[in-house]
Amino acid sequence: MESYLEVSWLSNFLILLNASTLAFYLGGKPCTFRYLVLYSAVIPLAAGLLFHPYEWLWMMLIEGCFFVLIYRYAWKNWLLMMAHRMLCSVSAHLWYGGSFHLGVYFVPADQIPIALWVIFTFTWLGMFCHWKYELTQQSFIYPLEIRTTKEVLRLKGYLDSGNFMMQDGLPVLLLDARYETYFDHSRIKWVMMNTAQGTSRIACYEANARIAKNGYHRILVHFRAPLKLPLGAHALLSIHMMTQE
């Protein structure tokens, strides 16, 4: 790992991965995480290989393709990612020196920035393994466990402050229809739901659920397909679930 390109590539891969992950957790928009990893790997590689009169056009084309792939419906995420990416790159430049090419930081040829790698590795691992819910709760995303008669489902839940649905004192949670097979159809219950179009009768299933590490409480689950929620959440929480003791 002592070549100029490899050292710079690894440094920028960690910088972009940190910036993209932080924006993903804070931005409140769905995103496929493997695309963030691909973006973090390709951009510094392209900057290290492109040296010709039209290099900026090619770099803008590559950035544009990733913008369409990842951020076309989340431009605020892109702005946050770019701001954090610039801050990290400038900080590394002030620490080690070096240069910039096509918007990517290049480490001096006589430097091996091990301390930089350690800091960004532990920062990313901290976000990914421990702080993700602390960050995403700023966007109303909470860890959710639903205990059915078959197994325990561990999902992301999105808190909708407008969901006040209750039946017989039980909060009504909306869940993506892909999970319906995990529920016992003998425990179905019919609930009257008020909507803008009027009152409708919906089928719900009884279950137990908890948010974060709180205790389990009885809830009712209604399935919707498709259920599109921020940050890849698959459940729409009821505001009453936050007030249960």
Side-chain angles (χ1 to χ4, degrees):
M1 286 297 296
E2 294 186 359
S3 78
Y4 184 79
L5 178 60
E6 288 174 338
V7 169
S8 296
W9 178 86
L10 180 56
S11 301
N12 284 281
F13 173 75
L14 294 173
I15 287 173
L16 267 67
L17 191 62
N18 271 266
S20 300
T21 302
L22 181 63
F24 173 55
Y25 288 149
L26 292 179
K29 293 289 185 180
C31 183
T32 303
F33 190 75
R34 64 177 179 272
Y35 293 157
L36 300 183
V37 177
L38 183 64
Y39 173 74
S40 303
V42 170
I43 292 301
L45 181 62
L49 297 178
L50 290 174
F51 289 95
H52 57 77
Y54 300 104
E55 57 191 19
W56 274 105
L57 291 178
W58 280 106
M59 198 66 181
M60 290 175 64
L61 177 62
I62 296 171
E63 288 275 7
C65 290
F66 277 109
F67 180 87
V68 172
L69 181 66
I70 302 173
Y71 299 108
R72 59 177 168 172
Y73 300 120
W75 60 270
K76 291 182 180 179
N77 287 30
W78 181 81
L79 290 177
L80 178 60
M81 182 276 296
M82 292 298 290
H84 192 207
R85 169 184 169 181
M86 183 181 300
L87 177 63
C88 292
S89 298
V90 171
S91 299
H93 178 266
L94 293 175
W95 189 358
Y96 288 102
S99 61
F100 287 88
H101 177 64
L102 299 177
V104 174
Y105 169 65
F106 279 79
V107 183
D110 59 346
Q111 294 279 357
I112 305 294
I114 296 177
L116 186 76
W117 296 345
V118 171
I119 290 173
F120 282 128
T121 299
F122 277 96
T123 301
W124 182 82
L125 286 174
M127 281 192 294
F128 187 76
C129 299
H130 300 290
W131 308 324
K132 63 173 67 176
Y133 286 114
E134 284 77 2
L135 293 168
T136 55
Q137 280 170 22
Q138 307 303 314
S139 301
F140 308 104
I141 301 292
Y142 293 85
L144 172 69
E145 289 186 9
I146 302 176
R147 188 167 59 192
T148 71
T149 56
K150 298 181 179 181
E151 62 179 278
V152 176
L153 302 176
R154 293 177 175 85
L155 314 166
K156 290 181 183 179
Y158 175 68
L159 177 62
D160 180 8
S161 59
N163 182 11
F164 290 92
M165 289 178 58
M166 289 192 75
Q167 178 71 22
D168 299 331
L170 302 180
V172 178
L173 176 149
L174 302 184
L175 189 61
D176 194 288
R178 74 183 74 176
Y179 297 102
E180 190 169 3
T181 56
Y182 295 101
F183 287 78
D184 184 357
H185 288 210
S186 66
R187 303 185 68 185
I188 195 168
K189 198 168 189 176
W190 291 97
V191 175
M192 299 305 295
M193 180 177 68
N194 295 320
T195 66
Q197 290 75 33
T199 302
S200 60
R201 190 166 174 255
I202 63 173
C204 295
Y205 297 85
E206 292 186 34
N208 292 285
R210 68 175 181 176
I211 297 174
K213 296 182 180 179
N214 299 324
Y216 280 97
H217 296 276
R218 291 176 61 209
I219 62 166
L220 294 174
V221 177
H222 174 64
F223 293 97
R224 287 282 182 88
L227 190 62
K228 295 182 179 180
L229 298 171
L231 289 169
H234 295 125
L236 183 64
L237 305 176
S238 166
I239 193 67
H240 296 292
M241 297 181 69
M242 308 302 293
T243 59
Q244 291 177 325
E245 301 193 1

